[in-house]
Amino acid sequence: MSVSRTLVAAALVCAGLALPATASAERSELPASTPAGPFADVIKSVVTIDAPLPEEVGPVPAACQQLRYLRYRRDGGPADPQQADAVLVIMPGTLAGAGSLEMHALQVVQNAADRGRSVEYWALDRRGNCIEDRTGLDAGLAANDPKIALDYYYRGLQVGGRTFGGIQKTGQLGYVADFDLRQVTEDYRAVITEGLPDPEFRRSRTFCGGHSLGGALTGLLMAWDFDNDPATRDDAGYDLCAGSIALDSSVALTPETAAAGAGAQIAKAIVGQTVRSVRNAVAANIIPRTFDFGVIGPETMLLLEGIGLNAQLNPDTDAAPLVAATPPTPAVDGAMRLLQSRTWQDAVARTPRLRRQHLSGEALLGAFMDDNSQPLSFIKTSIGSYTGGALLPKVFPFTDGPLMFYPVEDAKPYGWAGHLEPQSTARRGDGRLYTTAASEVTDPQDLARVLHGAPLDFLEQYYSTMLTVDSVLAGAGSRDGDFARLRYTDAALGKPRLSVIAGDGLGQAKQPAGVPGVPSVVEVLPGYDHVDVITASPRQSSGQPERSAKATTDFVLDHTGRDPGPTPAADEAAASDPEVAAAVAQLDMR
């Protein structure tokens, strides 16, 4: 069964080789705080594992020689994860870090605890997060003053004797080109094997998964042949997992995998090149080594985290002074133009209109991320609506699609209603009355907190372009170089699968049927946007538990300890080699 070509688009939009980790690897674990709320039975820590990169990568920051993840577990439950009922190891999506998974993790662990079960949830951070400088954000949070963060990142303010060294440009980050698909897959495996050394526990009680691109990376992990020996199955990726979890994504590498259309044209252009030429272009920085395209790049991701910090500390205070104090760099003003212009005329105006407006801290966050304002589906959440002034429909950057709104009275203060109750909201403008139905699923304060969340945040500011390129090429069917290790492309179909699909997400409701007798659960969530699947509030307007976390908890507890089932077949392309086919025929493969 070959890898789906339609994974190409999903890899672009959803959006380190470590030595094999063992139980003896250097490891540290530090406690971290959990938010107030309904999570009394959950404790959180940051786990760090030494995992040096190969010498040929060259000099890298010391932090990039380690792997990190957030460990959530039941308070009073076993300290040894292999004594838990189950462990979930979850990979974030494109441009995302471990902190993006916090709300989902807290609820899954708490849901299990409410049922008397001990489940752990490990939210992974990829190596690219090692480059970020969190000093200003952490200092601003500690002092309850977001301006400290602004001054640290833009005005040379020293914090703890440290001065910000500036946004690192993609040309400075040669080593990031080595944070490719092979490295991420090896790191994924290293976290699992270091923390869960018992192979039987991994096969029966460890669930691998991810949000967005993280789901696709899980499918690639399960398909990977780590010893690169087609005659054996001693080190196959599918043995790391009892089952898989895809959060508005798909782990299945099959022709039925749905595409998310926004990146289709870019994906098609990349796939038209050879593996070597495209990868060489990234390594040489002809294609930027990090995802840095100005309006979406390290600086604007840092800006968004700062907006989250301000929304948490000053939810109802006019954010205009802070916006005015933000330097008009091409990246910052470009993001304001792209994401917060009502018309093309607004987008090309000398001064972005957002700089003339008076939005509260939460309203500014909503302007960038709520589905009534944000045009890019892979960033959208459903967190509320503007209050306090007239609104008009947005016609930039898209003239069709879902109706979105823009505040038009520049001198008037706008607030934000972060409601979680179904309602019909009237919005008057241009002489007409617009009505939108709202059933918000994410609390804006939860989103604000996890955006900048310490110690590991929501965003991966220096996301490796090579990871997306490799995912595209492997998803298009390439088996050149390291991609020859993708021998078990139907592996995910042979084990229990959960697919949680956002009704207003990336359009992946269709999932492959899989193997007869192997459970495949699909949970479609009407009204959820792509990000809501991992950020939704535990208190929903229906009065029922949040459905993404509930479906995940139910699936894991229902399938823990299940017979792992038959071994997946080798990749058809590899098995077409007569020697490989003969070896495969001697194995117990279906």
Side-chain angles (χ1 to χ4, degrees):
M1 194 171 290
S2 61
V3 173
S4 167
R5 293 180 182 273
T6 57
L7 177 63
V8 169
L12 278 173
V13 177
C14 293
L17 170 67
L19 298 175
T22 68
S24 62
E26 289 294 324
R27 179 183 189 276
S28 65
E29 184 167 1
L30 296 174
S33 62
T34 55
F39 310 116
D41 295 317
V42 184
I43 56 176
K44 170 185 169 185
S45 57
V46 184
V47 179
T48 302
I49 307 167
D50 283 351
L53 291 157
E55 290 185 5
E56 56 265 28
V57 173
V60 299
C64 297
Q65 302 282 23
Q66 299 173 320
L67 303 177
R68 296 170 185 79
Y69 62 92
L70 296 175
R71 181 189 181 195
Y72 301 83
R73 62 189 180 93
R74 182 184 182 185
D75 192 4
D80 178 0
Q82 294 187 146
Q83 298 302 312
D85 291 298
V87 175
L88 291 72
V89 185
I90 308 296
M91 176 73 71
T94 302
L95 308 180
S100 67
L101 298 162
E102 168 135 325
M103 290 305 299
H104 194 252
L106 289 167
Q107 293 180 73
V108 168
V109 176
Q110 184 64 53
N111 290 348
D114 290 343
R115 294 163 62 173
R117 308 289 291 277
S118 293
V119 165
E120 295 204 9
Y121 190 117
W122 299 357
L124 305 181
D125 231 24
R126 288 185 290 268
R127 284 190 194 251
N129 292 92
C130 66
I131 307 170
E132 298 171 6
D133 180 355
R134 290 191 45 84
T135 305
L137 290 167
D138 292 343
L141 179 61
N144 291 322
D145 184 358
K147 191 172 184 301
I148 289 177
L150 183 68
D151 290 345
Y152 175 78
Y153 293 115
Y154 284 107
R155 291 185 172 81
L157 176 68
Q158 277 199 350
V159 174
R162 181 169 184 172
T163 302
F164 184 53
I167 299 295
Q168 295 198 49
K169 300 303 182 184
T170 183
Q172 301 172 264
L173 302 170
Y175 57 89
V176 175
D178 290 281
F179 298 171
D180 56 8
L181 177 60
R182 175 172 175 172
Q183 186 63 64
V184 169
T185 304
E186 292 277 358
D187 289 348
Y188 201 162
R189 168 182 173 268
V191 168
I192 296 173
T193 57
E194 189 280 335
L196 304 168
D198 179 7
E200 181 54 35
F201 185 93
R202 298 196 294 262
R203 283 193 293 266
S204 62
R205 297 182 182 275
T206 302
F207 293 83
C208 309
H211 175 240
S212 196
L213 178 64
L217 293 175
T218 297
L220 294 165
L221 169 80
M222 296 178 74
W224 203 265
D225 182 1
F226 284 92
D227 66 7
N228 202 22
D229 184 353
T232 70
R233 55 172 297 274
D234 295 336
D235 206 1
Y238 54 77
D239 277 338
L240 298 169
C241 317
S244 63
I245 298 164
L247 302 170
D248 209 34
S249 182
S250 177
V251 299
L253 309 182
T254 73
E256 292 89 348
T257 302
Q265 294 304 313
I266 300 174
K268 186 176 181 180
I270 292 177
V271 174
Q273 306 296 317
T274 66
V275 173
R276 180 173 297 177
S277 64
V278 175
R279 297 187 94 251
N280 286 347
V282 175
N285 202 37
I286 297 169
I287 297 174
R289 297 183 187 118
T290 62
F291 199 93
D292 188 355
F293 298 96
V295 295
I296 302 179
E299 186 175 4
T300 53
M301 284 188 270
L302 183 60
L303 171 70
L304 187 54
E305 293 188 343
I307 289 172
L309 176 65
N310 182 60
Q312 180 185 0
L313 298 178
N314 303 309
D316 302 316
T317 302
D318 186 359
L322 209 61
V323 173
T326 305
T329 66
V332 169
D333 273 11
M336 290 181 181
R337 295 176 191 280
L338 173 66
L339 302 178
Q340 260 317 96
S341 293
R342 191 181 76 83
T343 65
W344 283 96
Q345 288 78 10
D346 282 344
V348 299
R350 183 171 184 176
T351 301
R353 188 162 189 168
L354 184 60
R355 290 192 177 276
R356 305 198 302 269
Q357 294 183 320
H358 294 270
L359 307 182
S360 71
E362 281 191 356
L364 182 61
L365 175 62
F368 275 77
M369 292 197 70
D370 184 67
D371 56 4
N372 287 319
S373 305
Q374 171 56 251
L376 304 178
S377 61
F378 65 96
I379 302 175
K380 286 185 177 185
T381 57
S382 183
I383 60 173
S385 60
Y386 293 109
T387 62
L391 303 169
L392 286 176
K394 288 179 65 174
V395 292
F396 175 86
F398 308 122
T399 57
D400 55 6
L403 194 61
M404 294 183 293
F405 296 92
Y406 187 89
V408 292
E409 299 179 80
D410 292 345
K412 205 164 194 177
Y414 284 79
W416 191 258
H419 43 69
L420 285 167
E421 291 75 32
Q423 62 181 307
S424 181
T425 303
R427 308 167 188 275
R428 189 176 297 279
D430 69 355
R432 290 181 288 176
L433 185 67
Y434 298 94
T435 302
T436 60
S439 180
E440 311 307 331
V441 296
T442 294
D443 187 308
Q445 281 299 298
D446 289 335
L447 180 62
R449 181 180 57 79
V450 299
L451 268 174
H452 67 83
L456 304 180
D457 52 8
F458 191 107
L459 296 169
E460 185 176 358
Q461 296 173 19
Y462 296 94
Y463 173 81
S464 173
T465 307
M466 190 71 86
L467 177 57
T468 289
V469 167
D470 281 358
S471 299
V472 167
L473 294 169
S478 172
R479 292 298 176 269
D480 292 337
D482 289 335
F483 304 152
R485 295 169 177 264
L486 290 166
R487 290 200 169 86
Y488 308 110
T489 55
D490 59 349
L493 301 181
K495 297 202 172 187
R497 286 177 296 138
L498 171 66
S499 301
V500 179
I501 305 299
D504 296 330
L506 298 184
Q508 300 190 28
K510 183 179 180 182
Q511 297 290 321
V515 177
V518 177
S520 177
V521 179
V522 178
E523 183 83 8
V524 180
L525 307 179
Y528 277 55
D529 291 302
H530 182 58
V531 178
D532 290 325
V533 169
I534 54 172
T535 60
S537 169
R539 182 181 72 86
Q540 291 295 296
S541 57
S542 64
Q544 299 299 311
E546 193 280 308
R547 288 178 58 189
S548 176
K550 182 179 184 301
T552 302
T553 309
D554 291 346
F555 172 79
V556 167
L557 295 181
D558 287 348
H559 296 95
T560 293
R562 185 181 183 276
D563 184 338
T567 301
D571 181 78
E572 292 171 350
S576 64
D577 184 302
E579 293 184 5
V580 174
V584 169
Q586 297 176 14
L587 301 174
D588 181 21
M589 293 185 175
R590 59 177 174 78

